[in-house]
Amino acid sequence: VQLQASGGGLVQAGGSLRLSCAASGSGFSINVMGWYRQAPGKQRELVAGITSGGSTNYADSVKGRFTISRDNAKNTVYLQMNSLKPEDTGVYYCNADGNEFGNPFAMMGQGTLVTVSS
C-alpha cells in the first residue's frame, strides 16, 4: 500500500487549503485514515482522524476550522482547512491503518508542507 498526499502550499492567515491523500495498491482495506502534522521544532501531533464508518475526531486546536472526510471507493482522505493560522504551519502527513492480504498495517505517507503567513 502506498499513500500519496497533495495540496499543501503557502497561504495567508485566514485562508483555506484542502489536502488530499490517496491510498493505492491491491488486496487492502483501510479502517482509519487521518492527518498528523509536525511544526518546526515540535513533535508530530494528530490533527484529525476518520473511520471507515465516518466517525471523526479532531485536535482541539483545529475544531471548528478543519474538516476531515473520506471517499471509501477511492481510498482517499481529505482535510479541508479553513481560517488558517500561522500556528497551523507545518508538514502534514496522512496515515492509514488497515489490512493488506489479511495482514494488519499502519503506515504514514510522505508529508506535504503547509505554510501560513501572518
Side-chain angles (χ1 to χ4, degrees):
V1 178
Q2 292 185 328
L3 299 175
Q4 181 68 46
S6 60
L10 173 64
V11 64
Q12 288 188 332
S16 299
L17 282 175
R18 189 190 194 212
L19 306 182
S20 299
C21 178
S24 61
S26 61
F28 71 95
S29 62
I30 299 177
N31 300 320
V32 179
M33 300 188 81
W35 292 92
Y36 286 75
R37 69 184 178 191
Q38 187 165 19
K42 294 188 177 181
Q43 289 188 328
R44 192 173 297 178
E45 62 175 351
L46 175 66
V47 176
I50 185 168
T51 68
S52 57
S55 296
T56 59
N57 65 292
Y58 296 92
D60 288 343
S61 60
V62 307
K63 284 180 180 177
R65 300 188 298 121
F66 290 11
T67 302
I68 190 170
S69 60
R70 66 189 279 180
D71 184 331
N72 290 329
K74 296 181 179 180
N75 291 309
T76 300
V77 64
Y78 307 95
L79 186 68
Q80 178 66 44
M81 304 185 293
N82 299 328
S83 302
L84 282 160
K85 303 176 181 180
E87 51 263 44
D88 294 316
T89 294
V91 179
Y92 284 68
Y93 302 87
C94 66
N95 87 295
D97 295 344
N99 289 278
E100 184 179 25
F101 295 112
N103 299 310
F105 72 86
M107 66 181 308
M108 190 163 288
Q110 95 288 359
T112 186
L113 178 63
V114 172
T115 303
V116 184
S117 62
S118 57

